[in-house]
Amino acid sequence: GNFVLETSEGFNDYMYEVGVSYLTRKIACGLYPTAKNEQDNSGDITLSTGSTFKSGSLTFQLDTPFQETTADGRSVTTTATLRGNELIKNQVGQGSALTSIETRQFENGKMTLIHTLPSRSAIRSVRVYKRTD
């Protein structure tokens, strides 16, 4: 489905912890990006995001580790799993990169994207998107 950002809490703090520059954080926090989530017949899942600042797309299979460069530039080994109405991406940092967890919860026409850092339990970004289709 297609979604657009509605509310965002804690995103600046999360980006700070993963090393995003001040200027980029300020720009990113002022945007209302779109998100598109798709799954094809072969099981490939594609997550796409778009804004006037930065856009990107990622295609993967559930339960199969893959190499990912996150939007903030970290190199991670990601494994995505489906648990009920949640799509969870466990992103294990390589080298000095932090490990993070991205959880997408789908409920009542909304997608809640939650970013957490296992090594910094106080850091939590919650971004709520509303469905547009």
Side-chain angles (χ1 to χ4, degrees):
N2 294 297
F3 299 85
V4 65
L5 182 66
E6 194 172 50
T7 64
S8 180
E9 295 178 15
F11 193 50
N12 183 67
D13 292 341
Y14 172 80
M15 289 189 296
Y16 173 83
E17 290 294 328
V18 296
V20 176
S21 73
Y22 174 80
L23 182 59
T24 301
R25 291 195 320 268
K26 289 305 168 196
I27 292 169
C29 285
L31 298 174
Y32 284 82
T34 58
K36 184 175 186 176
N37 308 304
E38 302 175 285
Q39 186 171 22
D40 67 19
N41 292 337
S42 70
D44 282 350
I45 294 174
T46 300
L47 304 178
S48 305
T49 57
S51 74
T52 54
F53 182 62
K54 190 173 189 177
S55 297
S57 173
L58 178 68
T59 300
F60 56 88
Q61 288 269 331
L62 291 173
D63 304 312
T64 304
F66 61 94
Q67 299 305 304
E68 177 183 8
T69 300
T70 63
D72 53 70
R74 288 175 296 129
S75 294
V76 297
T77 300
T78 299
T79 304
T81 57
L82 197 57
R83 186 175 64 211
N85 67 335
E86 296 182 337
L87 175 62
I88 302 159
K89 287 173 55 191
N90 187 24
Q91 302 167 312
V92 178
Q94 299 170 0
S96 63
L98 288 175
T99 292
S100 56
I101 300 171
E102 240 183 56
T103 303
R104 286 169 174 77
Q105 299 172 334
F106 299 93
E107 193 168 39
N108 300 323
K110 306 257 185 193
M111 175 183 73
T112 303
L113 174 57
I114 302 166
H115 295 98
T116 57
L117 298 170
S119 64
R120 291 170 173 80
S121 61
I123 300 299
R124 180 181 173 91
S125 166
V126 179
R127 295 167 62 82
V128 178
Y129 291 73
K130 65 180 175 182
R131 191 167 185 138
T132 60
D133 61 358

